[in-house]
Amino acid sequence: MTVLVTGGRGLVGSHVIEALRAAGKPVRAFEGDVTDADAWRRAATGVAGIVHAAALVVRPLEFAEYERVNVGGTRLAVQAARAAAARLVHLSSVAVYGRTAAYAAGRGAVSEDFPFQPIPEHDFYARSKRMAEELVRDEAARGDLSVAAVRPNVIYGERDRTFTPRLIRVVRLGVFPQIGPGTNHLSCVYAGNVAAAIVAALGAKRPGFRAYNVTTDAEPPPG
């Protein structure tokens, strides 16, 4: 089956393309603006799967722009998947839970059924990603769409332009700030492992909507 991937030049999207090619799957990279309906119609013709990984993440923009791209682009991904009768895997984020509230309530262990908590007004990314995921969930509830939402935590790896460069700068400075008691752990996941989860979700053709947390490369330390 041919799989269409948006965000193919980004961190996760590029790893998804590599993973699909390694598995011998035909891949088509989305070219153009994900808010362009005509671009979607051209790109999604004849595909059996869509991986929607394109999104605004960290940009000094107004919320309206995050909504236009992250929610508007997802709406068109849903329409394209429905028109092509394609399986849709939406790249979401653990940010949908409500960052601070979820960590405090779950003490770092938040499962897929953890109830969404309030998101601060200024967290444009988290707000837009929750809106996008709620959109695909509601559309799947209509009964004619098969959707998986993959919720990764902090992602690192080749072609990362956000977390990894910041970590390298801190290491080079040789000064490490202590947050809280210094015993807390940040769950990180390699981009290639997120891609592997997405490929697995593509193959699990479940009807309706299903969400999956993809948040760590190993078992958490004891204690």
Side-chain angles (χ1 to χ4, degrees), residues 89-165:
V89 178
H90 168 65
L91 181 62
S92 187
S93 167
V94 296
V96 300
Y97 292 111
R99 301 174 195 261
T100 304
Y103 296 152
R107 297 183 180 274
V110 174
S111 65
E112 287 85 352
D113 58 358
F114 183 83
F116 288 175
Q117 304 296 311
I119 295 176
E121 187 75 15
H122 64 271
D123 195 343
F124 294 169
Y125 173 74
R127 287 171 57 196
S128 64
K129 292 301 283 186
R130 179 183 288 183
M131 290 172 65
E133 185 175 313
E134 289 176 338
L135 169 67
V136 296
R137 183 194 63 203
D138 292 346
E139 289 293 327
R142 292 172 51 180
D144 59 347
L145 196 64
S146 175
V147 183
V150 172
R151 300 169 177 166
N153 202 346
V154 177
I155 307 172
Y156 68 93
E158 303 88 350
R159 299 177 291 281
D160 175 20
R161 295 188 290 269
T162 54
F163 173 70
T164 304

Side-chain angles (χ1 to χ4, degrees), residues 53-75:
L56 287 178
V57 181
V58 182
R59 299 282 182 85
L61 300 169
E62 298 295 324
F63 176 71
E65 186 64 8
Y66 275 84
E67 185 176 13
R68 185 184 75 84
V69 176
N70 293 356
V71 183
T74 301
R75 181 174 291 108

Side-chain angles (χ1 to χ4, degrees), residues 147-197:
V147 183
V150 172
R151 300 169 177 166
N153 202 346
V154 177
I155 307 172
Y156 68 93
E158 303 88 350
R159 299 177 291 281
D160 175 20
R161 295 188 290 269
T162 54
F163 173 70
T164 304
R166 292 178 182 177
L167 180 61
I168 291 172
R169 284 196 295 270
V170 171
V171 171
R172 285 176 175 170
L173 284 173
V175 178
F176 301 91
Q178 178 172 310
I179 302 174
T183 57
N184 50 311
H185 299 274
L186 177 63
S187 176
C188 299
V189 59
Y190 175 56
N193 290 339
V194 178

